[in-house]
Structures are given as C-alpha cells and as structure tokens.
Amino acid sequence: MKDIIIEKNSKKVLDNFQDLFVARNEIIKHASKKINTSEDEINHLSQILHPNKIEVVVKKIVEENSLTKSFYFTTEDGSSFPPFIPGSYITLEIHIDNRIYKRPYSISSNPSHLNEYRITVKKEGIVSKYLFNECKENDKFTLYGPFGHFHYNSLRDSNEVIFLAGGSGITPMKPMIEDLLIHKRVSKIDLIYGTKTVNDILWKKEFDELTKKYKNFHIIYLLSEEKRDDYSYGIIDESLLRKLEPMNKTIFISGPTEMYKSLNELLKKLNIPNKYIRHEIYTNIPENLGTKEYKLVIRRNNEKITIPCYENKTLVQSMEENHIDAPVHCTVGVCGFCKSKLIQGTVKTENSCLRKKDQELKYIHPCVTYPLSDIEIELPF
Amino acid sequence: MKYDCIVIGAGTAGLISALTLQKKGKKVLILEKGINPGGALSSFKRGAFEFDTNVFPMYGFGSEEKLGEKMFQQLDLQNKIKMNFENELFHIIVTETNEEYTFSKGIESFEQKMEEYVPGSMEVMETFFGLCLDVKEALEYIKTQKTTLDERDLLQKYPNFVQLAPLKVKRVFEYLNMPKKVIELLSVFCNYMGSSIKDLSFVYFANFVYTFISSGPCYPKNTSYEFVKLLEESFKEKGGVIKYHTKVNEILVDNGKVVGVQANNETFKTSHVISNVSPKMVYEHFISQENVPIECIKLENERILGPSMFTVFVGLNKTKNELGIEHTHYIITNTLDSIKEFEKLHQVFSGHLIAHVIEEQNTTQVVLTGMIYKDALKSFFTPDHYFEIKEQLEDYFVTVFENATGHFIRESIEEIDLATPVTYARYTGHPYGILFGYLAKGYDNLLPRMFCEDEENKIEGLRFCGSYGSRLSLFLDLMENANEVALKTFGECEE
C-alpha cells in the first residue's frame, strides 16, 4: 500500500502514537480509588434462580391417599425458594443408612407461593418408602434445582393443549394446568387422568373446582382397575385420544414408563409430529437384563475406588449402595450432571441426550448405564 | 504439591493457556466452577437439537493465510476439527427503508459487491483494504518485538500504521472520503465487535475485518463444544488436571506475589495464576482487599463494560427450503446509521439482531442474537417475572426476524430457549453476564491495552486471558492472546 499522509508533522505523529499509552496511564492515575465489592444485579439474579443447593425443613406432611404423601418444605434460613416454571422438578438428597441417595421429584406446588415447595411422593422405591414411613416434620434435607424442560411455551406450543397423566405423573401437571388457567395462557385444556382406582386420584376436589370455574378445562378420569359410574374405564387408547381431536395440539405426557411406551406407539400411528409431544423425564429400564456381578473402577480426583456392580443395576445404583456420593440430579440420563468418561468395558446405556462429541468420546450417563463387563469410569468431579 | 501454574476457568482462553504451558512441560491445574469445558463456547441439547452456544462465527480458516489453522497447529489440533465453511458473509436487512445487501467472502468479491451497491467506490475500497493489510502486517511485526517498542523504527517501517494507530474507525473513514453508503455498510461490523464506529480503534477493526472478509465465516461441524472438548482432552491426555465443580474462593497473595489458590476449602500452592475470570471479578471478589494494589482498583473504575447478549435458539422441524429461508447470516437493523443504532443497543427492544441459520437433516436451527448494554438491564428482570419476560423476549426476537425476512417460522418451532445475560452470568461468572469484556473505547482500545499489559500487572505471578484480556474478545485475537499470556508465564517460571 502506498504511503498515506494524515498528519504531516512526524513529531506529532510520534507524539500521538506515544499518547496511546501515556494518556492511558495519566487517566488511570486520576481515577477513583473506591472499591466496589457488591455483586452485580445480574449475577445476583443468577444466584437466586440457580442456587448451588437449598437447605430445607419439612414443615408439613399430608397423606393424600393410602400410598401417597405430600411434603411441604420451607427453606432453613426462611428465605424464598427460587422462582420456577410450572413442570419443573427438584432433586432431593437423602441419607439412609449412611448411603446418599438423590431423587428427582416434580414440584407439585404453585410458583406463586415461593415460601414453600411441595413434592408429592408415591410409596415405591427405597427413597420414597423412607419418605413415606420415616420422614417427620422438622426433618432437614438438601435440595438441588429447580430443573427441567417440561414446560408450556407460548411460542412453541398450541393454544389448545392436551394433558395425559398416569398415576403420580399428575404431580408436575397440577401447577402447569393451574398456571395456564389462571393466567389465561391457552384457550382450551383437556386432561385425561388415568389411575387404578378412584382412591388413587390426587386432588380430585381441587380439579373438579377448576373445571367448574374454568369452562375451557375438561377432565376425563380414567380408571384401569375399577368400574364406576361417572368414570371412564380402561387405558388411553386411540378412540379416546381421537375424541380430543389431537391434531395440531401440544400433548403433555407424564406417568409410568409403560404409559410412555404405549402412547409413543399410538402417537406415531396417528402421525403426530414430535413438536407436539412433550414428555416429562422418565425411567426407561432396558428389558432382559442379566444378574452377573462385575468390577466397577471409579476414578475421581486422582483417586481410584473399586466396587462391585451388577448387570441389572445402573452404575449410580451401585455407587449408592457402596456409600459413594455420586454426582447425580435427574437419575434418568437427561440432565448431564453425572456425565462420565467410560475408560474401559462394555455397557448397555441410553445416550440420546449426550452431545455428539461426548457420544464420540465414549462418555456415558452412569445413571442410565448398566455394565456388561468389568468397567472403569472417570467421574466428572 | 505445588503447581507451576493454576488456570482459573476452563473457558476457551483458559484451556489454550493451560495447554500451551503444559506442552512446554509445566505442571498445570485448571479450576472450573462449572461441569463442562468451554465457558461461552459450548453446546446444549434440547430434544433432537444440539445448539452451538457460540453465536459468532469462527474465521481465519478459509483464506490463504489460514491464521486459524496455524493456531490450531500450534495446539496439535490441525485436521482434528471438521469445519463447515460458509460463503456468505452476511445479508443485511434495513427494516425502516426495506433495503437489502448481501456480501460474500473474499476481498475482491466484497469490493465488487460494494461497487455494485455504490458505483464508483472501487478505488476507495482498494485503499481501505490496502490500509487494513498495512495494519495487519504492522501488528504481526509488533508481536514479534519482545522488548519495548522502538517507535521511530516502527514509523520508518510502517508509517501508515503509526499514523492510523491513534485513530478511531469513523475518523479514518472520513479521512478516506468514503461515500456515505460505503461508511454505512462497513460500519455494520462495528456494533457486533462490541463498540461503536466512533469509539472503536481502526487498528482493531481493520485487522478483524480484513481477516474475516478474506477467510469467511466457519463453524465446527459438531458445534464449538467439539473444539473446547479437544483442547480439554489433549490437556488431560498429557497429564493435565482439571477440577470441575470447583469454585475459587481466593487467590492467595503475599507481599505482592501470588502464592496459591483456595477453592472448595482446599489450598493449592503455586506462584503463577492465569485468570480466565475477568480482572473486575478477581480484584473485587477473589483477592483480599489489602492485597489489591490501588492502581488495579483505579484501572477497574476507569473501564466501561461492553455488551452482553440475548440469544434465542430456535429448532424448527422443516428444511430451509420448506421455510423459504435463503440466507445463512442475517444482520437486521433499523437504519444504516451505525451511531444511532449503537445507541439503540442500550434498549432491550432495539429492533436489532443477527441471525444464523443452520440446516441439518430435515430440520433447521435459527439462532437469533441481540446485543445489549448493561444500563438497559437495570431493574429489567425481577425474579418473579423472569420466566415471563423470557417468553416475551423470545416472541420479540422471533417477530423481528419474521417481519424483517418475511419468513414465518413460529408454526414450525419444535424447540426454543433463550439465553439472557443471567444465563451467561450463570455459566461464565462474568460481570452482568458480559461476554465481550471491557468496551473498546478511548484509551481502552487494542493498542493501549497491548502496550500497557505488562506494566498493569501489579501482582507478581498473576495474568489474565480471555475476553477481558488485552486483545479483546474476537476469536482469533483471544486465542493468540491466551497463547502469549501462557508463554510470558512460562518465561517467568523459568526465571
């Protein structure tokens, strides 16, 4: 490039050039000495919305029916809980016999009352049985979250929506439906709520009141093990679903694993695009698991621990049994918190929620991984 | 156990610094508060979609110089990453006047296109790019000068550069007597470099614009997470240690020297820290106040923070063709008056966005990014309405895109999520979630920062890398800077 002349005087050119750092030093010399150590409002908000953990106390326990209890938590320090989108879950950490368990539970309370979180638990596994039988008021726990992407989104989802709930799968839907109705975010809601018997229906009174108050909310109670007048009988099948005219409507599904399996087939048959199908996270235990025992070597922070593991238990379950505090939040291979590198061994696992590069580098989610040989993994921390 | 160096933050720059030191045989520990490498460069899954969080393209790979490839080579990453090269630089839509302009990569192609839009502009464009090249060459020369700069020597070798060095973009455009439309079209870049045409140094602008236009945009095929993951793996393979989920509480300083780092109630001994965390956070929160030199506080108080972003990630269940979308990079702006538009970025609903469109297996991702300065965020979010505001913003950005392009996408949305400054604060810890570092303005532009960097490191053993560092926040500069900072630290380790 030919030479240009913006400034003829070469001394001035050099002065201007030197000024780049001379003037900077000069300005800084005269700057304020005040130290500001307060957190900025954006980082502060991020802490409020996504705390590392929440220490809570059980304030109230309500028996919803013979197999289900609701637990009301307040925070130990009396502060408000983080705001959440209806449909979110928290992870509860619970210590039983020196073992540390972490389990996800949908928040069944409404985000307009942030002085408490409620979870509603059906007596099923180790943790829920403990909660059901042993947990008392004033017991203390640690929660993580809120987490999850099982939400209504006004841009993505349709104006008329369908909720399909099975058993305790109703828990995240309770605050979702209330939120949509109260804030008039949709024009119509159909809920099919399947349970075994009438006694299994949670919050029936409250739901019935909602249908009275909001004419655009309809419920079909569906019983699978009891025939009663005024109630439908059976499971969600094609003819029932067709009655709700499901085309171009967002369908929210939450319930036991068998229900997802049968509904997935049904929705496929009806040619419903994925965009309209929103699943709550769910456990999908592979079929035909063996029972053989293997060795699981865990690398963590330059330490190596070896424990037994079994073909029919996830690696996280084996860690729990062996008193290892596994990093885990969702327990169903979705959230990525337990993502670990598989260093050696073959496994049966579900990796559809892993990023492409992580799949390629043989990362696994130990919470949905079953061993098929001796295994070595490296935990994330 | 003592480490030669502790790197705080496994962001892209932190990883490059760590890897550089480790390849030179140093024992390096990285402490990262999150559970994944990459910081702002990452990816996340929603349903069938994996979204790249790096919303600005990488560059420096497609041209003859291949600066990016040289950088990758130094890190032993050549040929390890498949890049998707894009020919289109951007398609500008001016919403108030319905004007549209498309530019493709390559200096000649750019000049020709400009000539088409502004007849008679060829000569001035050639001069402009000629000056850009002068700037690039001089910068390369300066980087090789290890000792203090001899300004007379520089003036003799690079007279154009020395004259241009103190000038802002606007001043040079005026000097070149550019037609108004040329100035307007070139200025579109500035607002996405994290400053305005009247504040941004011409040197910084010229260096980037030339490299970007000549090499064109590119994106790692498997998202930029692949890139940071490769850095991380390569660091670990050679024995490097990364501790995730480990938040630093304090950088321990004694007698003006770094002596260690405390994190998760553990103390790690070291004499050298490279911080991928901003100086602002380090001086205000990581070092006990009596150990922070007053000059550092003064410097912080004088600096202005750059912009943060809103990014809407939209996963659509149709192909680009089915949606009717033709372009890859859109810049949507109200007018071409860049100074006026820069002021608009101080409002949340600015009418401004860039869109990147990626097609993959019968689906399309549209990623919409709006820049935002922190004064607009004051009391904008409240905890109770945060999620409600997020939905409003999603709607707003999608609407701006739809109205500007005429392509209606909302019917086809399968997944959608919005990253706000709060999200960026969560994953990077940067003040106000600002990813662009300090505003390039006045004497806080590229050259003053570069020239004053060593002198402004008042705590022995502490250096900074990343977007708050001396080479600002653009991809190649940031990588090069991380490498240089590590080499300086290496030099000190050897002393």
Side-chain angles (χ1 to χ4, degrees), chain A residues 156 274-275 278, chain B residues 48-49 315-317 363 412-416:
Chain A
R156 178 196 63 203
N274 283 335
K275 150 178 172 61
R278 315 304 310 177
Chain B
F49 295 86
L316 302 160
N317 65 357
T363 65
S412 313
I413 298 175
E414 182 166 320
E415 298 293 342
I416 183 165

Side-chain angles (χ1 to χ4, degrees), chain B residues 234-303:
Chain B
S234 143
F235 175 72
K236 276 166 57 177
E237 256 166 41
K238 295 174 187 113
V241 184
I242 302 193
K243 281 183 178 284
Y244 285 107
H245 213 239
T246 305
K247 198 168 181 331
V248 167
N249 308 108
E250 193 177 344
I251 299 172
L252 303 166
V253 174
D254 187 33
N255 259 329
K257 288 181 190 171
V258 169
V259 292
V261 176
Q262 208 181 56
N264 284 9
N265 299 321
E266 233 182 304
T267 302
F268 304 95
K269 282 187 194 164
T270 188
S271 303
H272 300 279
V273 165
I274 295 178
S275 173
N276 198 176
V277 173
S278 68
K280 186 173 171 61
M281 285 299 190
V282 166
Y283 296 137
E284 290 176 1
H285 301 285
F286 284 12
I287 300 178
S288 68
Q289 283 316 311
E290 70 273 16
N291 286 323
V292 181
I294 198 73
E295 293 94 329
C296 299
I297 302 290
K298 282 179 161 184
L299 175 58
E300 274 324 299
N301 286 337
E302 209 42 56
R303 309 185 93 165

Side-chain angles (χ1 to χ4, degrees), chain A residues 130-148:
Chain A
Y130 175 89
L131 282 171
F132 202 88
N133 297 329
E134 310 286 335
C135 178
K136 304 174 299 299
E137 281 174 18
N138 294 321
D139 280 1
K140 289 177 182 176
F141 295 99
T142 301
L143 304 185
Y144 302 92
F147 303 120

Side-chain angles (χ1 to χ4, degrees), chain B residues 23 53 67 69 72 87 135 173 206 262 266 272 312 335 367 406 432 444 453:
Chain B
K23 280 171 57 115
T53 61
L67 297 168
E69 260 145 60
F72 275 31
N87 198 42
V135 164
F173 285 175
Q262 208 181 56
E266 233 182 304
H272 300 279
V312 188
T335 69
V367 180
Y432 299 89
D444 209 5
E453 184 183 14

